[in-house]
Amino acid sequence: MKKTIIIILIFAYISCSTKTKKIGIQPYGNIDITVIDAMTEILKTSYQTEVYILDKKELPQQAFVNIKSPRYRADSLLIDLLQTRPDSIDYIIGITSKDISTTKRNAKGEIKKPESKYSDWGIFGLGYKPGKSCIVSTFRLKNVETSLFKSRLQKVSVHEIGHNMGLDHCKTDKCVMQDAVESINTVDLANFELCQNCISKI
């Protein structure tokens, strides 16, 4: 009898520990279905997750800034996503066609120099590490042929969800978790996949 109970408990533990994660894609505004499909495809493949498309909503006005140009603060969008994330979803990834920005800081937490450049720095995406929410913008990925746009979108999506799952920037050549180092070329040269070292951490 005791052996039966132990076996049942072990099975229950394994079942819980291998539970499939759920990712929700949150469109901000009207996002083309091909964009949603590309994100769904790569997230399912990369993380073996279930992916759900949430009802679209508008960008929160409190996230809007016009310091250098009209943008939305990514930090504020992460909070908005976190606050509206359905309980049934493990991670939520926002997608917008608008430009997004953050403040870029050094290792000491100070704004990088020159402050005029880095206090409102335009980015491809941002995600809590670890956390439950991330955001991707197509604004700096577009104006290229379709296949290149799709690959950029997919790589940035995998990258930001990777941060949510606790992954740091990776130093392995061409790993999708490499730091973009302020260049879209880094994204273009990266693989779609996580390296073995990153896979072992999630």
Side-chain angles (χ1 to χ4, degrees):
M1 182 66 176
K2 287 184 178 179
K3 185 181 290 186
T4 302
I5 292 172
I6 291 171
I7 291 172
I8 290 171
L9 289 173
I10 290 172
F11 179 77
Y13 173 78
I14 292 171
S15 297
C16 290
S17 64
T18 59
K19 180 184 174 185
T20 303
K21 296 295 186 182
K22 297 177 181 179
I23 296 175
I25 298 177
Q26 176 62 71
Y28 278 117
N30 294 317
I31 302 297
D32 194 290
I33 189 61
T34 59
V35 168
I36 302 296
D37 287 346
M39 293 174 70
T40 301
E41 172 193 334
I42 197 67
L43 292 174
K44 281 183 176 179
T45 302
S46 299
Y47 295 111
Q48 303 301 302
T49 56
E50 296 176 12
V51 178
Y52 298 87
I53 315 306
L54 307 177
D55 292 336
K56 75 172 184 177
K57 66 176 186 175
E58 297 308 310
L59 286 158
Q61 192 57 36
Q62 65 266 27
F64 180 78
V65 293
N66 195 357
I67 299 171
K68 296 188 218 175
S69 60
R71 291 172 173 168
Y72 288 83
R73 293 288 292 185
D75 320 69
S76 296
L77 296 179
L78 294 187
I79 294 170
D80 180 65
L81 289 163
L82 198 60
Q83 291 174 339
T84 58
R85 177 182 63 89
D87 291 338
S88 58
I89 298 296
D90 296 295
Y91 306 101
I92 184 168
I93 179 169
I95 178 67
T96 178
S97 61
K98 302 297 185 182
D99 199 12
I100 61 174
S101 63
T102 191
T103 299
K104 198 158 188 180
R105 301 179 182 276
N106 59 27
K108 295 180 180 179
E110 302 164 336
I111 300 175
K112 285 186 68 176
K113 305 296 183 185
E115 286 193 20
S116 58
K117 179 179 181 180
Y118 290 110
S119 61
D120 189 55
W121 177 251
I123 54 176
F124 312 130
L126 188 70
Y128 284 130
K129 181 190 75 67
K132 300 288 185 179
S133 64
C134 59
I135 181 74
V136 172
S137 168
T138 62
F139 187 86
R140 294 170 183 273
L141 308 176
K142 57 188 182 182
N143 299 326
V144 291
E145 50 97 9
T146 304
S147 63
L148 181 56
F149 168 72
K150 179 181 177 181
S151 72
R152 288 176 173 179
L153 171 70
Q154 290 183 322
K155 290 172 186 178
V156 175
S157 298
V158 171
H159 183 101
E160 300 308 338
I161 286 289
H163 282 320
N164 278 181
M165 293 186 178
L167 295 177
D168 292 307
H169 283 144
C170 181
K171 294 182 179 180
T172 302
D173 187 41
K174 296 190 177 181
C175 175
V176 74
M177 290 307 299
Q178 274 188 300
D179 187 349
V181 291
E182 304 182 9
S183 173
I184 192 64
N185 291 332
T186 308
V187 177
D188 291 341
L189 292 172
N191 295 324
F192 287 93
E193 305 86 11
L194 299 169
C195 69
Q196 286 303 311
N197 186 43
C198 286
I199 290 173
S200 70
K201 295 177 181 178
I202 58 174

